[in-house]
Amino acid sequence: MTKKYLTRYGDNYVGELTEAEIRQDIEDGTLDAADRGQIPAMSQDEMDYLYEIITSPQKIVSVEPGKEVVVSFDAGTLKLPTRNGIPMDRLQAVITQERALASDSTELCHVDYSYKPIKPIISEERQAMEQIQLMTTIPVLYGAMPNLGLYTKPDGPCDNWAELLPAGKITEAMEAQEEAVEHAIKDIVFVASSMIESGADGINLDTVGASGDADVKASLEAVRILSKKYPTTGFEVGMAGEFNLGMHGELTFDGEVLAGMYPHKQVLMAQQAGVGIFGMAVNTNSSQSLAWNLARVVTFAKETAKVATIPVHANVGMGVGGIPLSIIPAADAVSRVDKALVEIAGLDGL
Amino acid sequence: MAVTHESTAGMGGIRSAGDLVFRMELQKMKINEAKKYVAEKLRVSVMDLADCAVMKDLREELNIGTVQSRPDAGVGIQTKFRIAELLGVPINSVDMFKRQAGL
């Protein structure tokens, strides 16, 4: 009887696969990424090592001593008090991360995790940052999403391109997005500047591209302004997905069309804008195995780390970076993702 | 999940030197360059940076904060004054403290 290995699928559930099936999934995964990104596939040695990681008999695996990387966070202070429902304020959450969880960094954020709604409460956010900075040693960033969708009517001033596009009003949809970009740049620069003035160690723009290429454009332009204004402050940009959706389609940054860019191209735009840490995202396919998903992520990540002159972190939350699509992803899968991304892809952090 | 990331691949924050290496990544240094820079500043090997045995003693000696609360030891902003000097990088909250305190 052919031996089978316990592994996971992208939906977080256990599955049993043979050596041949796992090796085939690894090959299919890397070829899929190579084809989509027009980048090199994994070498045979890399695929063999990934197979070893996937089939390791240990429940939890880890990187070898000396190969550790640093960890950054999105939704920093949303995790313990809000998602876990632990009754603590944000200062307590940050100190818990520093002294109980031994995080390398963390992030202060508001429950409405977007730059636009922070404006009316900026004084309270600044006060929270100033108090937290007095009490902490680790770098504490401030983070939120550009979230261009918030600028559409009735919540915002712009026509809704998601309604205009299906109606065939292409020009109007493009103009609405261009208008939203200008509003978002102002809001991001205002909020980020305020938080830096209150002592933030850095600014995180998270889930960049969730509203498409205009979302990316606004973020890059904002970072360009901010990095010139605050040259010693770090800016982290974490992407929403593995390629920029072309909701506009013709927006450019430094002459390059943003729509359709995969991580190894996204990072070049980010470093040109002045980004300090780039957070790449690759979507997890919940129907495919961990081997298929991880081979695909490693292929994108390796090329992104190779071309980047700035640190690259992988977004390894629920449903991205090879992590199963579940709010409670299995630790055996998470640890294999971490080891592969650090040891094979050569990423700078998670 | 954050705990899994930290334990399988993370540097261990102020248990070791993860916070210091992260500060150098914010300055656009890639991981190996950041580790080498911090190791040279601390006068330890790169391997020591994630070793809590070495780093506990060194952090206490330098008074730059550990996970344990101790009497007569710096916490928070006090530790960042020393870290800014040690690493040779500006820290926004330290500069702000100096402005507010008229230092």
Side-chain angles (χ1 to χ4, degrees):
Chain A
M1 186 177 165
T2 308
K3 182 178 179 182
K4 290 196 171 186
Y5 295 88
L6 204 64
T7 186
R8 297 263 169 196
Y9 275 85
D11 62 3
N12 207 33
Y13 288 95
V14 160
E16 286 188 312
L17 294 176
T18 65
E19 174 179 347
E21 289 169 332
I22 293 171
R23 287 192 182 278
Q24 187 63 55
D25 279 0
I26 290 172
E27 188 177 338
D28 290 348
T30 190
L31 290 176
D32 183 80
D35 180 52
R36 287 172 190 267
Q38 297 298 294
I39 54 177
M42 294 167 72
S43 68
Q44 188 60 53
D45 285 349
E46 289 165 344
M47 288 195 286
D48 289 344
Y49 190 47
L50 182 56
Y51 172 78
E52 276 181 39
I53 293 171
I54 297 282
T55 58
S56 169
Q58 278 77 37
K59 183 174 179 182
I60 306 289
V61 300
S62 75
V63 300
E64 293 172 17
K67 292 186 177 175
E68 299 90 350
V69 296
V70 289
V71 176
S72 56
F73 290 88
D74 67 347
T77 51
L78 271 170
K79 296 186 192 301
L80 295 175
T82 307
R83 291 182 185 164
N84 294 119
I86 301 171
M88 56 168 55
D89 72 8
R90 293 186 291 174
L91 171 59
Q92 290 170 306
V94 167
I95 292 176
T96 302
Q97 286 217 233
E98 173 177 291
R99 299 177 203 172
L101 305 182
S103 301
D104 300 307
S105 70
T106 192
E107 176 196 85
L108 172 68
C109 65
H110 186 256
V111 67
D112 198 345
Y113 193 54
S114 302
Y115 281 97
K116 181 172 174 257
I118 306 302
K119 286 188 300 177
I121 55 163
I122 192 67
S123 296
E124 288 73 18
E125 293 301 277
R126 290 187 65 171
Q127 189 275 335
M129 176 61 80
E130 290 174 16
Q131 191 177 23
I132 284 169
Q133 287 290 346
L134 287 174
M135 296 290 291
T136 50
T137 297
I138 60 171
V140 180
L141 285 70
Y142 189 81
M145 293 164 42
N147 204 349
L148 238 62
L150 291 181
Y151 295 92
T152 60
K153 294 172 183 174
D155 302 314
C158 308
D159 289 329
N160 190 337
W161 49 90
E163 292 174 355
L164 293 168
L165 285 170
K169 296 180 178 177
I170 308 300
T171 304
E172 291 86 344
M174 293 168 79
E175 287 172 353
Q177 290 176 76
E178 289 160 21
E179 186 186 347
V181 166
E182 296 306 316
H183 290 300
I185 293 170
K186 284 181 193 164
D187 289 352
I188 296 167
V189 170
F190 169 73
V191 171
S193 298
S194 301
M195 299 313 296
I196 292 167
E197 298 292 342
S198 285
D201 290 294
I203 297 294
N204 182 23
L205 283 75
D206 185 59
T207 326
V208 167
S211 298
D213 49 349
D215 208 271
V216 180
K217 169 83 171 168
S219 302
L220 296 177
E221 296 289 357
V223 171
R224 173 158 281 171
I225 295 167
L226 288 162
S227 62
K228 286 178 181 164
K229 190 175 177 185
Y230 303 103
T232 60
T233 299
F235 298 92
E236 180 164 8
V237 162
M239 303 305 291
E242 66 192 40
F243 70 95
N244 297 336
L245 288 169
M247 295 296 285
H248 183 289
E250 294 181 0
L251 290 171
T252 61
F253 186 78
D254 282 356
E256 298 284 335
V257 174
L258 292 168
M261 280 185 176
Y262 279 91
H264 62 292
K265 297 280 180 65
Q266 294 170 347
V267 72
L268 299 179
M269 296 295 101
Q271 62 193 31
Q272 280 173 222
V275 169
I277 298 175
F278 177 71
M280 59 169 288
V282 175
N283 308 86
T284 296
N285 185 328
S286 59
S287 300
Q288 295 283 359
S289 69
L290 175 66
W292 187 90
N293 278 299
L294 196 42
R296 201 165 166 279
V297 179
V298 166
T299 305
F300 278 122
K302 188 174 168 238
E303 184 66 12
T304 306
K306 187 175 88 178
V307 302
T309 58
I310 58 173
V312 178
H313 288 198
N315 291 4
V316 278
M318 302 83 81
V320 284
I323 302 291
L325 183 60
S326 165
I327 56 169
I328 306 178
D332 50 87
V334 173
S335 70
R336 281 160 175 77
V337 167
D338 292 352
K339 184 174 175 68
L341 287 176
V342 172
E343 294 188 352
I344 304 176
L347 290 189
D348 304 278
L350 300 168
Chain B
M1 184 168 56
V3 174
T4 310
H5 289 315
E6 295 282 1
S7 55
T8 61
M11 289 198 67
I14 61 172
R15 278 169 58 87
S16 52
D19 60 319
L20 309 179
V21 173
F22 191 93
R23 286 196 183 278
M24 300 323 298
E25 281 207 357
L26 282 174
Q27 299 298 316
K28 303 182 181 175
M29 287 186 186
K30 292 184 74 105
I31 185 73
N32 291 334
E33 183 189 1
K35 283 181 176 179
K36 185 167 178 282
Y37 182 91
V38 173
E40 285 175 1
K41 292 291 183 186
L42 296 178
R43 298 182 183 177
V44 297
S45 73
V46 168
M47 282 294 286
D48 288 337
L49 292 177
D51 185 333
C52 64
V54 174
M55 289 307 304
K56 173 193 169 289
D57 292 346
L58 186 56
R59 290 192 79 108
E60 286 181 358
E61 181 187 325
L62 295 171
N63 205 0
I64 56 172
T66 71
V67 290
Q68 295 291 323
S69 179
R70 295 171 297 124
D72 199 28
V75 292
I77 193 73
Q78 302 152 9
T79 63
K80 286 186 285 195
F81 268 71
R82 295 191 187 86
I83 289 170
E85 191 175 345
L86 184 70
L87 296 181
V89 293
I91 294 179
N92 285 336
S93 57
V94 171
D95 294 339
M96 183 188 171
F97 188 98
K98 287 177 181 171
R99 283 198 305 272
Q100 300 287 14
L103 297 175

